[in-house]
Amino acid sequence: MKRGHVHIKWPNGSESTVKIGSDWLKEANKVGVEIPTGCLNGSCGACEIEVNGEVIRACISSIPSQETGLLDVEYSIDPYW
């Protein structure tokens, strides 16, 4: 893998290698993953995804580095919605 990049496993089964610091929404769109959005400023939580088990808001977060070089992405499920 290229230095400064991370490998991502997406919820639709596709995989990609992306540059650290890239935009979650743009990279997801490239592989056909639609992350729901609402306010696009992090307030509403519509864009929440789980990355290696940690819930993040994709609209205000960038793709982080990972020691293992692998990020596993799943849609976040809120039992109260």
Side-chain angles (χ1 to χ4, degrees):
M1 182 174 351
K2 295 180 189 177
R3 186 176 191 152
H5 288 70
V6 66
H7 189 77
I8 300 176
K9 290 184 178 180
W10 296 97
N12 68 353
S14 62
E15 298 184 13
S16 62
T17 299
V18 302
K19 186 175 180 181
I20 294 167
S22 297
D23 179 85
W24 278 111
L25 299 176
K26 288 179 184 176
E27 295 300 331
N29 188 47
K30 288 179 185 178
V31 295
V33 172
E34 184 178 341
I35 298 174
T37 59
C39 66
L40 293 176
N41 69 14
S43 297
C44 72
C47 65
E48 287 185 344
I49 57 174
E50 287 186 26
V51 180
N52 291 358
E54 179 183 344
V55 176
I56 65 156
R57 295 190 178 188
C59 74
I60 59 170
S61 302
S62 57
I63 295 173
S65 63
Q66 176 65 22
E67 192 173 303
T68 63
L70 176 65
L71 297 174
D72 187 22
V73 176
E74 294 293 335
Y75 290 114
S76 183
I77 298 171
D78 184 343
Y80 300 105
W81 279 90

